[in-house]
Amino acid sequence: MSLTPDSVPRLPRGVRLRHDTVRNAHVLLAPERTFDLDQNAVAVLSLVDGSRSIRTIAEALGRQYEVDPGIIEPDVIVMLDGLLLKRVLETVPAA
Amino acid sequence: MNAVTPALPAPIGLLAELTHRCPLRCPYCSNPLELDRRSAELDTATWQRVLTEAAGLGVLHVHLSGGEPTARQDIVDITRTCAELGLYSNLITSGVAGALDKLDALYEVGLDHVQLSVQAVEAANAERIGGLKNAQPQKFAFAERVTALGLPLTLNAVIHRGNIAEVPALIDLAVRLGAKRLEVAHTQYYGWAYVNRAALMPAKADVDRSIRTVEEARERLKGQLVIDLVVPDYYAKYPKACAGGWGRRLMNVTPTGKVLPCHAAETIPGLDFWYVQDRSLSEIWAESPAFRAYRGTEWMQEPCRSCDRREKDWGGCRCQALALAGDAKATDPACSLSPLHGKVQALAIAESALETAPDYQYRTIGGAPRVALPEGAPA
């Protein structure tokens, strides 16, 4: 059970990306836990919307940071796989 | 004055004990022995102000708890306020009585997560532990509705002598009910659980088996069920950082508005707690004598003071240090570095070996046991 470039990730109900104004940082709020996010994670999660595939997300990041999306894509998959395992990310079933 | 400075980080979580009323009577309840009555509870507007102050202070998670939080008529309004403030709302519920009737409305106003207690899998055992007949089918119906709505569900099972054999079945139950998380929480012996310790203490061999069961299930259910394990203190090597360290991460507001660093803090005599009716949450966080008493490491004695774990577990639990060592500043005797650790383990082994467990002293409002505390606190 691992994500592929065609997977379309989304945050399930009960998981929210939030900017914490007091600490001036982005956090992922989830059941009984808070994930501190680094800049890369925020950049990825900001593009997770339940309609973009991982390939599309990597392409968008590639344009944004002027890097080859092929280099970014495996890192995106590793990061999102980690969240999937913790059950704070899900995929949209293929139509 | 902004209370949040690099030296004093903002709290992450607010445990809102909305009421002490509860249809269940679990003998390990974390509420104090002297329970607050309905007539003394904070009103809706005060809770809403507290939540607003909490959000401003930096709180991210609000745990709507009790007692049974859905026993409050205004639980939906309070939950809506959390959502409006961007606070993550976590309903900690028994799932019985009126809980199911209010669930859809809670979902509508933006409830984020539900933590449902289960006393055991086998209904007769569960209802014996919780002290309420017919509770089990209500809990299952509640769980079904939670997942049908698409809300994330956590099951919380407090583990003790009376249900430790059911740990494998509890894991199966969590999967069957569609929970994403399961908390296998060995009893922490404060409050009612301290009074009932001899009836609850499991044998070390059973504890070890339950831990192996959880480890095996975590591997088998990877990506399907997350299992959190709270191990029992008395058999542990190191204590847990109670509430993430005193006055570091958590605030607890009681039904009557008293603000505590942890839910058991009132058992420590001489602490001066402030009330939300009198001061802002930010002032209480920064200045309340109760919060300052054991914050950081300055108050520590040896062996904590020079220990390289002192900022990992913060000396363990102050309430347990008081209960077992007679001094809230002592090293938590759950720690193997405490001179009392051997005695505490021996106590647990002796209690768990009782051929017949004593009867439970069930939690009741106005029913604080007269026989204050069990014997065994090492002198």
Side-chain angles (χ1 to χ4, degrees):
Chain A
M1 190 209 68
S2 173
L3 297 166
T4 69
D6 291 320
S7 305
V8 178
R10 70 178 170 206
L11 297 180
R13 169 110 186 195
V15 180
R16 289 197 270 125
L17 179 64
R18 207 194 109 170
H19 183 250
D20 173 358
T21 49
V22 170
R23 298 169 188 85
N24 193 26
H26 281 86
V27 287
L28 194 64
L29 299 177
E32 310 280 355
R33 60 183 73 186
T34 304
F35 296 87
D36 295 327
L37 303 174
D38 63 21
Q39 270 185 331
N40 295 338
V42 175
V44 173
L45 286 174
S46 307
L47 295 168
V48 166
D49 62 357
S51 62
R52 289 187 182 93
S53 69
I54 288 184
R55 182 176 293 115
T56 314
I57 291 171
E59 283 166 4
L61 291 170
R63 279 192 300 278
Q64 203 174 325
Y65 295 102
E66 295 175 5
V67 211
D68 178 2
I71 295 171
I72 299 177
E73 200 175 85
D75 292 343
V76 173
I77 289 181
V78 167
M79 188 214 128
L80 294 180
D81 262 341
L83 296 177
L84 193 72
L85 268 185
K86 296 184 179 96
R87 298 224 62 186
V88 294
L89 188 89
E90 61 187 17
T91 52
V92 179
Chain B
M1 186 191 77
N2 191 346
V4 181
T5 64
L8 179 58
I12 299 275
L14 177 76
L15 179 62
E17 291 182 334
L18 299 175
T19 179
H20 279 158
R21 289 173 284 140
C22 185
L24 294 186
R25 301 185 290 137
C26 305
Y28 46 73
C29 182
S30 62
N31 288 158
L33 299 179
E34 295 286 352
L35 296 164
D36 295 335
R37 287 164 197 280
R38 179 183 201 151
S39 53
E41 290 175 5
L42 295 180
D43 62 15
T44 313
T46 306
W47 274 115
Q48 289 171 326
R49 172 176 63 76
V50 168
L51 293 168
T52 306
E53 291 175 358
L57 183 55
V59 165
L60 300 172
H61 278 256
V62 173
H63 308 280
L64 301 167
S65 181
E68 171 50 50
T70 61
R72 293 262 318 198
Q73 290 307 313
D74 56 2
I75 183 64
V76 174
D77 296 319
I78 288 173
T79 305
R80 184 190 293 113
T81 301
C82 290
E84 286 167 358
L85 292 164
L87 291 164
Y88 190 100
S89 54
N90 174 24
L91 183 76
I92 301 179
T93 180
S94 64
V96 301
L100 181 57
D101 292 341
K102 297 190 172 102
L103 184 56
D104 282 44
L106 292 168
Y107 171 80
E108 293 296 331
V109 297
L111 179 67
D112 285 301
H113 172 240
V114 174
Q115 187 201 108
L116 173 67
S117 71
V118 281
Q119 282 62 37
V121 176
E122 203 265 312
N125 193 31
E127 293 171 10
R128 178 185 69 88
I129 296 164
L132 181 70
K133 290 249 177 292
N134 203 34
Q136 199 77 332
Q138 296 180 60
K139 283 172 178 283
F140 291 174
F142 182 87
E144 226 169 84
R145 188 64 194 152
V146 172
T147 50
L149 287 168
L151 274 169
L153 173 68
T154 291
L155 289 192
N156 173 280
V158 175
I159 305 299
H160 49 87
R161 178 176 179 158
N163 66 3
I164 194 162
E166 293 195 40
V167 169
L170 281 162
I171 293 167
D172 294 344
L173 178 70
V175 171
R176 199 161 69 241
L177 293 177
K180 289 187 172 186
R181 290 181 68 252
L182 169 66
E183 294 180 354
V184 176
H186 278 274
T187 306
Q188 304 295 305
Y189 294 96
Y190 321 116
W192 292 89
Y194 190 71
V195 173
N196 283 299
R197 192 180 61 197
L200 296 169
M201 186 64 73
K204 175 91 164 57
D206 293 333
V207 169
D208 292 343
R209 190 176 307 114
S210 75
I211 292 171
R212 282 197 304 275
T213 301
V214 166
E215 284 167 354
E216 176 276 324
R218 273 180 178 157
E219 197 53 41
R220 177 168 49 91
L221 300 169
K222 220 175 211 179
Q224 187 180 0
L225 181 71
V226 175
I227 309 178
D228 279 4
L229 177 68
V230 178
V231 298
D233 271 353
Y234 285 47
Y235 294 125
K237 187 173 181 196
Y238 295 118
K240 62 186 182 313
C242 198
W246 188 278
R248 286 189 70 246
R249 301 179 63 83
L250 197 70
M251 299 185 95
N252 178 8
V253 180
T254 73
T256 56
K258 201 185 277 190
V259 189
L260 315 175
C262 83
H263 55 72
E266 285 176 279
T267 59
I268 301 177
L271 286 181
D272 181 10
F273 300 106
W274 287 357
Y275 282 80
V276 297
Q277 294 92 320
D278 304 329
R279 302 169 202 260
S280 75
L281 220 49
S282 133
E283 190 183 355
I284 296 171
W285 178 251
E287 303 293 340
S288 156
F291 276 84
R292 293 169 65 124
Y294 306 112
R295 182 179 264 149
T297 57
E298 276 307 298
W299 57 271
M300 286 180 179
Q301 306 171 353
E302 293 296 351
C304 290
R305 202 174 174 82
S306 60
C307 182
D308 59 9
R309 296 179 55 86
R310 66 183 177 277
E311 292 195 354
K312 280 201 185 94
D313 52 38
W314 304 95
C317 170
R318 297 305 89 225
C319 307
Q320 190 150 274
L322 176 81
L324 297 177
D327 178 0
K329 289 186 176 175
T331 297
D332 182 346
C335 182
S336 54
L337 301 171
S338 160
L340 293 170
H341 186 65
K343 275 191 181 175
V344 167
Q345 280 208 331
L347 190 74
I349 290 165
E351 286 180 347
S352 66
L354 293 173
E355 206 151 315
T356 323
D359 290 339
Y360 293 147
Q361 299 202 48
Y362 285 104
R363 164 213 208 271
T364 42
I365 289 187
R370 248 164 268 250
V371 222
L373 297 171
E375 284 194 28

